[in-house]
Amino acid sequence: MKSTIKNTLSFLVVLLIAAAGYFYWDFLENRPSIKDDPAHVTIKEPTDVEMKEVKAFNLPSALEGHQIIERPFYTLSYNQTHEQADWVAYTMYPFPDSISVKRKDAFRSDPLVDGGSATLKDYKKSGYDRGHLAPAKAMSISKESMRESFFMSNMSPQVGSFNRQIWRFLEAQVYKWSKESDSMYVVTGPVLESPLGTIGENKVSIPRSYYKTILRFKNNEITAIGFLLKNKKTKEKFLKFASSIDHIETITGIDFYHQLNDTLEKKLEANKEVSKFIQPIN
């Protein structure tokens, strides 16, 4: 009798262990994948060429007396004379839209600018938009990056029909290109030579033009293009304003990629054809 009970108990223990193992295995097989959880997104690692070259052309040439302000998601050179950035530099990766945060306007003065940045009051009733240099969409990686994109040091007086049309369309295209790339490095800013005038108590200069220079990384290839657009309404498409980076350097006095290998720099900065930007330059 005792032997029968013992055998029965042993059988039940084995059965319970087997059942527990089955349910645990089922859990492992059917648990939600990390890939399905938008809070855990795998981001593509930079390629070898990116790692080597990003360090080399990390920032454009410094302009004497202008303050460099570094933030986690972008770096800028602030021009006190014109009360705005000479350039803003940032890297774009093909982050999935699932981690993109919504735009939340939070325009405010930049506390890191020595002597104070331009203010909201400067733009009030000026007739000009507070135009982003580093776009809010490009900074939608996190709430922090989105907030930081609204510092006034990242703003420049733009004609409303320019900011809301051709400039916005160009920003949208750059964002689309970033989705089709391993990464992109962008430097953007105003052309501050001979401004159209000033606005506000701080005399914020109204630029005549704006530029973007872009380096694109794709499959261990680097290509480049620039855009130079006048600060005014136009019916033209932004592709018409493609420019060589060499030309933009001549106009702005900024050496954008001065630490690149000379041969590579010469090849990249000479290109002004969008088709060669999208495809490798032979």
Side-chain angles (χ1 to χ4, degrees):
M1 182 67 177
K2 289 182 179 181
S3 177
T4 301
I5 294 173
K6 185 177 181 179
N7 290 338
T8 301
L9 289 174
S10 297
F11 173 78
L12 290 174
V13 169
V14 171
L15 184 62
L16 287 171
I17 292 173
Y22 170 83
F23 286 113
Y24 180 70
W25 180 259
D26 183 69
F27 166 76
L28 291 177
E29 286 294 300
N30 296 290
R31 62 180 174 173
S33 170
I34 289 178
K35 293 181 180 180
D36 298 330
D37 183 354
H40 299 82
V41 180
T42 300
I43 303 301
K44 187 181 183 299
E45 291 294 327
T47 63
D48 290 339
V49 70
E50 285 180 275
M51 293 303 293
K52 292 177 182 177
E53 298 293 351
V54 164
K55 293 178 181 178
F57 61 72
N58 189 29
L59 294 176
S61 59
L63 300 175
E64 186 175 355
H66 298 188
Q67 183 185 1
I68 301 297
I69 296 175
E70 296 187 27
R71 289 198 157 90
F73 303 96
Y74 64 85
T75 301
L76 63 83
S77 168
Y78 196 79
N79 188 323
Q80 284 281 5
T81 300
H82 295 283
E83 290 294 0
Q84 60 200 281
D86 302 296
W87 50 258
V88 182
Y90 55 96
T91 302
M92 299 178 71
Y93 291 97
F95 292 107
D97 289 333
S98 60
I99 69 170
S100 180
V101 301
K102 291 183 178 180
R103 173 173 172 147
K104 187 175 182 180
D105 292 3
F107 295 100
R108 62 204 186 281
S109 298
D110 190 338
L112 296 185
V113 173
D114 296 338
S117 69
T119 67
L120 282 166
K121 190 176 180 180
D122 289 321
Y123 285 76
K124 189 175 182 181
K125 296 182 180 180
S126 70
Y128 288 87
D129 283 5
R130 296 160 294 194
H132 276 73
L133 296 176
K137 184 64 176 177
M139 296 292 114
S140 63
I141 305 164
S142 68
K143 290 181 180 179
E144 178 187 5
S145 59
M146 177 61 75
R147 283 194 301 268
E148 290 188 345
S149 76
F150 283 89
F151 282 123
M152 297 303 296
S153 56
N154 187 42
M155 302 300 146
S156 182
Q158 294 184 340
V159 172
S161 53
F162 168 83
N163 178 42
R164 302 169 209 174
Q165 295 182 38
I166 191 170
W167 187 248
R168 179 171 64 88
F169 299 151
L170 175 57
E171 289 176 336
Q173 181 61 68
V174 173
Y175 183 79
K176 181 179 178 181
W177 281 331
S178 76
K179 294 288 190 179
E180 300 165 353
S181 309
D182 294 334
S183 67
M184 292 200 321
Y185 183 76
V186 183
V187 183
T188 186
V191 177
L192 295 172
E193 182 72 20
S194 302
L196 298 172
T198 64
I199 60 171
E201 293 180 359
N202 288 306
K203 298 188 182 303
V204 182
S205 296
I206 305 166
R208 288 183 177 274
S209 305
Y210 291 89
Y211 67 83
K212 287 188 185 292
T213 70
I214 311 167
L215 295 187
R216 181 182 187 236
F217 296 88
K218 181 69 175 180
N219 298 330
N220 277 341
E221 295 281 351
I222 308 177
T223 55
I225 195 68
F227 289 90
L228 184 63
L229 303 89
K230 290 185 178 180
N231 186 16
K232 67 178 186 179
K233 181 178 180 179
T234 179
K235 294 182 180 179
E236 302 286 354
K237 304 297 184 182
F238 63 81
L239 291 174
K240 181 178 179 179
F241 300 96
S243 166
S244 70
I245 296 173
D246 281 333
H247 179 57
I248 297 173
E249 288 183 334
T250 299
I251 291 174
T252 61
I254 300 169
D255 193 350
F256 291 102
Y257 307 112
H258 60 106
Q259 294 189 50
L260 279 175
N261 171 278
D262 289 342
T263 302
L264 178 60
E265 180 184 10
K266 183 178 180 179
K267 179 177 74 171
L268 293 174
E269 293 187 350
N271 179 54
K272 59 181 180 180
E273 297 180 34
V274 175
S275 61
K276 290 184 178 180
F277 170 70
I278 298 302
Q279 300 296 330
I281 303 172
N282 298 317

